[in-house]
Amino acid sequence: MMLTRSLFVRSVILLGLFSASALAQPPTEGNSVEATYSFSGSSDVRQTGGAAELGVQRASIQASHRFKLDEQSGLRIGILAQNTWLDLTAALPLPDQLQAYALQLGYTRQLSAQWSLAVSAQPGTYGDEAKIGGGTFNVPVLLTGIYAQSRELAWVFGARYDGFADQQLLPFAGVRWQFAPAWTFELAFPRTGLTYRANERVSAGGYVGVQGGNYRVTAEVPRGVAGAPALGRTYLDYYEIRVGGGVDIALGKAASLRFEAGIVTNRTFDYYERNFRIKTADAPFGTIAWRAQF
């Protein structure tokens, strides 16, 4: 049961590496910038019986440039900077922060009117410190095939390799279905759920989503919990399952804002090599994101 749930959660996280809004489209040229801030509120750490609380804040910025190689293929080059702060009220076997700094490299090819292929890699450092060292360098790779069955229905298939993950090679699948002019169902990032497009400027919906990542912990962390093993020089899998809603507001033709809010129903920090997990009670969350294309 635990393995099945773990595989499901990691599969949902993988879906966060492609954008359903870009399915099966010819390559384009341009630039994009996205800045995001998110928090999930403090809640009791279950292993401490309420003696400690934990909250999470995350800020990230990514920028990329897309250019065409020909009418069927294109490249994407970008950067990602992301910092996750763990707000702890007592000594717990966790780092104070988790960091990711990476290049974003991608190649797309339109194979036919219905099929397209994408491969991407994010070489960088993923760990509890901001330097490339202590084994924090990693190169997650994603291979994605997209089949546009019609203008309203597209399927996504692929696999990801991540040397820091418990299941290093993992297949996944997703779908985007516009079943009515104003309604779309997505099994994709940043949310799996329903979206209603009210007009050209505003859309809203409800969803289930995941925030998380895989990191290398290089330093020893305080144990703080009875029975906790030594947890330095190992890997940490962090994820939150989020249930909530959001609204997108277009700011002219080139920029948009997104607001999200809801409940974190499962927040887990999994030292899978040491068979040790930290879980918290439910907590509220909120997110604001700004995106521009030019």
Side-chain angles (χ1 to χ4, degrees), residues 5-6 22 41 54 62 64 67 76 78-79 121 136-137 141 159 204 208 222 226 241 258 275 285:
R5 183 176 64 185
S6 178
L54 187 156
Q62 50 187 327
S64 65
F67 56 94
R76 177 175 177 264
I79 56 173
T136 65
F137 184 74
V141 177
V208 177
I241 298 177
R258 177 166 181 82
N275 194 29
F285 79 86

Side-chain angles (χ1 to χ4, degrees), residues 123-207:
T125 178
Y126 302 81
D128 57 344
E129 53 187 32
K131 64 182 181 181
I132 299 176
T136 65
F137 184 74
N138 190 25
V139 188
V141 177
L142 182 73
L143 178 65
T144 306
I146 302 165
Y147 176 69
Q149 184 172 329
S150 66
R151 292 175 59 88
E152 294 78 24
L153 181 62
W155 302 90
V156 180
F157 313 90
R160 187 202 192 200
Y161 175 80
D162 186 341
F164 284 6
D166 191 5
Q167 285 80 37
Q168 294 183 347
L169 182 64
L170 188 62
F172 63 88
V175 64
R176 183 178 189 270
W177 180 29
Q178 186 178 349
F179 58 89
W183 289 93
T184 301
F185 169 75
E186 290 181 288
L187 178 62
F189 181 80
R191 53 196 178 275
T192 293
L194 289 172
T195 300
Y196 173 73
R197 187 174 180 84
N199 52 53
E200 292 184 356
R201 295 191 61 234
V202 178
S203 60
Y207 68 94

Side-chain angles (χ1 to χ4, degrees), residues 191-267:
R191 53 196 178 275
T192 293
L194 289 172
T195 300
Y196 173 73
R197 187 174 180 84
N199 52 53
E200 292 184 356
R201 295 191 61 234
V202 178
S203 60
Y207 68 94
V208 177
V210 173
Q211 174 177 283
N214 297 305
Y215 302 91
R216 175 74 175 179
V217 177
T218 61
E220 291 291 341
V221 293
R223 301 194 183 189
V225 174
L231 296 172
R233 296 179 295 278
T234 189
Y235 298 103
L236 176 62
D237 181 358
Y238 151 62
Y239 60 84
E240 297 181 353
I241 298 177
R242 296 177 163 195
V243 180
V247 58
D248 288 277
I249 303 173
L251 306 175
K253 296 182 178 180
S256 64
L257 276 176
R258 177 166 181 82
F259 301 93
E260 300 176 353
I263 299 295
V264 175
T265 62
N266 185 336
R267 182 162 52 194

